[in-house]
Amino acid sequence: MAVKAGKDTGLEYRERLSTYYKKTIVEMTEKVVANLAAGYTNIRKEVRTVMGGKILEYEAKTLLRQGEQKGEQKGKLQERQRNEKELAQMVKNLMANLGLTAEQAFNSLGLSKEAQENILKNM
């Protein structure tokens, strides 16, 4: 019992209802129908087949979670890049202001070899 709405009509088209909420409403409606049909074996079986046997998981929720995970990964990458740029600037400052070599500046900051290599790429 899939409820389908055309892309060119309704609240979604007028950008008053996001795709996430539209999908959520459609899928939750299907779950309600399944629960209401609990006493009707044939209907319940058909609804379960349509739903794929997933009771608490629905596509919109899965898509949202995947988007959040991608956002977290992107944020971590951006944070690491920002930190590496800041460390590169610190190394440059130590070299310019204190006359340290790059190796001395790295050692004074206690940076790992991997961090040193990444910073050298940014310098």
Side-chain angles (χ1 to χ4, degrees), residues 9 11 34 49 53 56 87 89 91 96 103 106-107 109 112-113:
T9 60
L11 293 174
T49 300
L56 298 177
L87 287 170
Q89 189 59 49
V91 169
E103 186 177 342
F106 286 133
N107 289 338
L109 293 172
S112 69
K113 291 291 182 189

Side-chain angles (χ1 to χ4, degrees), residues 61-107:
K61 186 176 174 182
T62 301
L63 292 172
L64 178 64
R65 186 171 43 259
Q66 288 172 347
E68 288 171 341
Q69 289 171 347
K70 286 180 183 178
E72 282 181 31
Q73 291 170 351
K74 185 176 180 181
K76 287 178 183 178
L77 175 62
Q78 289 173 340
E79 180 69 20
R80 191 179 86 227
Q81 290 171 339
R82 204 173 17 256
N83 289 339
E84 287 175 356
K85 286 180 182 179
E86 289 177 10
L87 287 170
Q89 189 59 49
M90 286 182 194
V91 169
K92 288 179 186 178
N93 290 343
L94 287 170
M95 292 170 65
N97 296 334
L98 300 177
L100 299 178
T101 66
E103 186 177 342
Q104 290 170 328
F106 286 133
N107 289 338

